[in-house]
Amino acid sequence: MATNRTFTMIKPDAVEAGNIGAITKMIQEAGFRIVAMKMTKLSEERAGQFYEVHSERPFYNDLCNYMSSGAIVPMILEKDNAVEDFRTLIGATNPAEAAEGTIRNLFAESIEANAIHGSDSDENAAIEGSFFFSATERF
Ligand code: ADP
Ligand code: MG
């Protein structure tokens, strides 16, 4: 059964471009409640841990380098059908293929620097949320 939480982070390109506010506004207007939120930066090693599942992919080293290149804004979000609805809100991985009006369509720079992360399953949402937030940091 689908749970009502997902995990996201605004990626370094979107933070650097000054789009934290615009993206957070879209998330809230789409009906998601922010359960946890902070601004932080990943080391390359910690970025590697987060994206461990992609460690065999050709873009893994570039991705870890990019994801540790600047500040990020991780969040836990709550809404009915959160995981699936959030993936719809952000659009396809490649912004060239992201539907009109999605966050990646509006704000992503490239397939790598694509503005925002969204968990792909309830199980990963829980794992990823715990990667950044302790129980007392969730509201
Ligand atoms: P998503 O973030 O849409 O779930 P993936 O899990 O497949 O996409 O990939 C994780 C992240 O790795 C992407 O959001 C993107 O930043 C990067 N990435 C994915 N595919 C590529 C690629 N072909 N070239 C460069 N970076 C990529
Ligand atoms: Mg993914």
Coordinates of all heavy atoms in Angstrom, one line a residue, residues 11 50-51 53-54 57 87 93 104 117-121 124 128, ligand 2:
K11 N 18.5 20.4 -5.9 CA 19.9 20.1 -6.2 C 20.7 21.4 -6.4 O 20.2 22.5 -6.5 CB 19.9 19.2 -7.4 CG 19.3 17.9 -7.3 CD 19.5 17.0 -8.5 CE 18.9 15.6 -8.3 NZ 19.1 14.7 -9.5
F50 N 24.7 8.2 -1.1 CA 23.3 8.4 -1.4 C 22.9 7.8 -2.7 O 21.8 7.2 -2.9 CB 23.0 9.9 -1.5 CG 21.5 10.3 -1.7 CD1 20.7 10.3 -0.6 CD2 21.0 10.4 -3.0 CE1 19.3 10.6 -0.8 CE2 19.7 10.7 -3.2 CZ 18.8 10.8 -2.1
Y51 N 23.9 7.9 -3.7 CA 23.6 7.4 -5.1 C 24.3 6.0 -5.3 O 24.5 5.6 -6.4 CB 24.1 8.4 -6.1 CG 23.1 9.5 -6.3 CD1 23.4 10.8 -5.9 CD2 21.8 9.3 -6.8 CE1 22.5 11.9 -6.0 CE2 20.9 10.4 -7.0 CZ 21.3 11.7 -6.6 OH 20.4 12.7 -6.7
V53 N 23.2 3.1 -5.5 CA 22.5 2.3 -6.4 C 22.9 2.5 -7.8 O 22.8 1.6 -8.7 CB 21.0 2.5 -6.2 CG1 20.6 3.9 -6.5 CG2 20.2 1.6 -7.1
H54 N 23.5 3.7 -8.1 CA 24.0 4.0 -9.5 C 25.5 3.8 -9.6 O 26.0 4.3 -10.6 CB 23.6 5.5 -9.8 CG 22.1 5.7 -9.9 ND1 21.3 5.0 -10.7 CD2 21.3 6.6 -9.3 CE1 20.1 5.4 -10.6 NE2 20.1 6.4 -9.7
R57 N 26.9 2.9 -13.0 CA 26.5 3.6 -14.2 C 27.6 4.6 -14.6 O 28.4 5.0 -13.8 CB 25.2 4.5 -13.9 CG 24.1 3.8 -13.3 CD 23.2 3.1 -14.3 NE 22.4 4.0 -15.0 CZ 21.2 4.4 -14.6 NH1 20.7 4.1 -13.5 NH2 20.5 5.3 -15.4
R87 N 6.6 12.4 -8.3 CA 7.3 12.1 -9.5 C 6.6 12.8 -10.7 O 7.3 13.3 -11.6 CB 7.4 10.6 -9.8 CG 8.3 9.8 -8.8 CD 9.8 10.1 -8.9 NE 10.3 9.7 -10.2 CZ 11.6 9.5 -10.4 NH1 12.5 9.5 -9.4 NH2 12.1 9.2 -11.6
T93 N 13.5 12.6 -15.8 CA 14.9 12.8 -15.5 C 15.5 13.8 -16.4 O 16.2 14.7 -16.0 CB 15.6 11.5 -15.5 OG1 14.9 10.5 -14.7 CG2 17.1 11.6 -15.0
R104 N 11.1 20.1 -13.4 CA 12.3 19.9 -14.2 C 12.2 20.6 -15.5 O 13.2 21.2 -16.1 CB 12.6 18.4 -14.4 CG 13.3 17.8 -13.1 CD 13.3 16.3 -13.2 NE 14.3 15.7 -12.2 CZ 14.3 14.5 -11.9 NH1 13.5 13.6 -12.5 NH2 15.1 14.0 -10.9
H117 N 15.4 16.1 -6.9 CA 15.3 14.7 -6.7 C 13.9 14.3 -6.2 O 13.3 15.1 -5.5 CB 16.4 14.2 -5.6 CG 16.2 12.8 -5.2 ND1 16.8 11.7 -5.9 CD2 15.5 12.2 -4.2 CE1 16.4 10.6 -5.3 NE2 15.7 10.8 -4.3
G118 N 13.5 13.1 -6.6 CA 12.2 12.6 -6.0 C 12.4 11.1 -5.8 O 12.8 10.4 -6.8
S119 N 12.0 10.6 -4.7 CA 12.2 9.1 -4.4 C 11.3 8.3 -5.4 O 10.3 8.8 -5.8 CB 11.7 8.8 -3.0 OG 12.4 9.5 -2.0
D120 N 11.8 7.1 -5.7 CA 11.1 6.3 -6.7 C 10.2 5.2 -6.1 O 9.6 4.5 -6.8 CB 12.1 5.7 -7.7 CG 13.1 4.8 -7.0 OD1 12.9 4.4 -5.8 OD2 14.0 4.3 -7.7
S121 N 10.2 5.1 -4.7 CA 9.4 4.1 -4.1 C 9.2 4.5 -2.6 O 9.9 5.3 -2.1 CB 10.0 2.7 -4.2 OG 11.2 2.7 -3.4
N124 N 12.3 3.5 -0.7 CA 13.5 4.4 -0.8 C 13.2 5.8 -0.2 O 14.1 6.4 0.3 CB 13.8 4.6 -2.3 CG 14.6 3.3 -2.8 OD1 15.3 2.6 -2.0 ND2 14.5 3.1 -4.1
E128 N 15.9 7.3 2.2 CA 16.5 8.6 1.9 C 16.1 9.7 2.9 O 17.0 10.5 3.2 CB 16.0 9.0 0.5 CG 16.6 8.1 -0.6 CD 16.0 8.2 -2.0 OE1 15.0 9.1 -2.1 OE2 16.4 7.5 -2.9
Ligands
MG2 MG 16.0 7.8 -9.1

